[in-house]
Amino acid sequence: MKILSFKSIIIFIITILILYSAYWIFLSTKLKSEINRFANESNIISYDSIKITGFPYRMEAQIKNLNINEEIQDSSFRTFSPLVKVDINPINLKKIVVRTKIIESHINMNDVFLDISMEEVRSAITTRDNTLSEIIIAINKADIKFNNLE
């Protein structure tokens, strides 16, 4: 009887591990496809590749060479980051952390130029009912040039 209950416990644990692994793989695939869909729909976002890591505790989407470029009449916005990491806890999908070591932005509005360079940028995003409810941004260092002046 004791052997049967020990085997049952082992089978139960293995089943839970397999189910969680399948859940994590499903969510990571969905995360990657949602990022791809969002970038394709926006027409201003491009990147070289996405890699999903972090099993089993979290999901980390590593987006390499993220570019955001938008030009409207006399204004333009360009930003680039060599690596952006998006972290999600697979148990609580309502909290997202976005982080990057460096991000460069260039804004031109009617020949007024603004160049922004930021290091160690972290953003915590909370959603409620599938909409943004809170965004907290922390920047370790920022350099801003206005009309090419420091």
Side-chain angles (χ1 to χ4, degrees), residues 5 29 33 43-44 63 85 91 100 110-111 113 121 138-139:
S5 64
T29 304
S33 68
N43 294 324
I44 64 170
I63 305 169
K85 296 179 180 180
I91 306 302
T100 184
N110 300 321
D111 294 327
F113 300 100
V121 179
I139 303 167

Side-chain angles (χ1 to χ4, degrees), residues 104-137:
E104 301 280 340
S105 297
H106 307 284
I107 301 167
N108 176 0
M109 295 175 56
N110 300 321
D111 294 327
V112 175
F113 300 100
L114 191 62
D115 293 327
I116 304 169
S117 175
M118 295 176 281
E119 296 178 11
E120 299 295 334
V121 179
R122 298 180 190 282
S123 176
I125 302 167
T126 306
T127 61
R128 185 176 300 129
D129 299 325
N130 293 327
T131 59
L132 291 176
S133 69
E134 182 179 45
I135 298 176
I136 301 171
I137 300 172

Side-chain angles (χ1 to χ4, degrees), residues 13-24:
I13 291 172
I14 290 172
T15 303
I16 294 297
L17 291 174
I18 290 171
L19 288 174
Y20 178 77
S21 297
Y23 169 75
W24 192 96

Side-chain angles (χ1 to χ4, degrees), residues 81-93:
S81 181
L83 181 64
V84 174
K85 296 179 180 180
V86 180
D87 295 325
I88 298 174
N89 181 331
I91 306 302
N92 183 0
L93 301 175

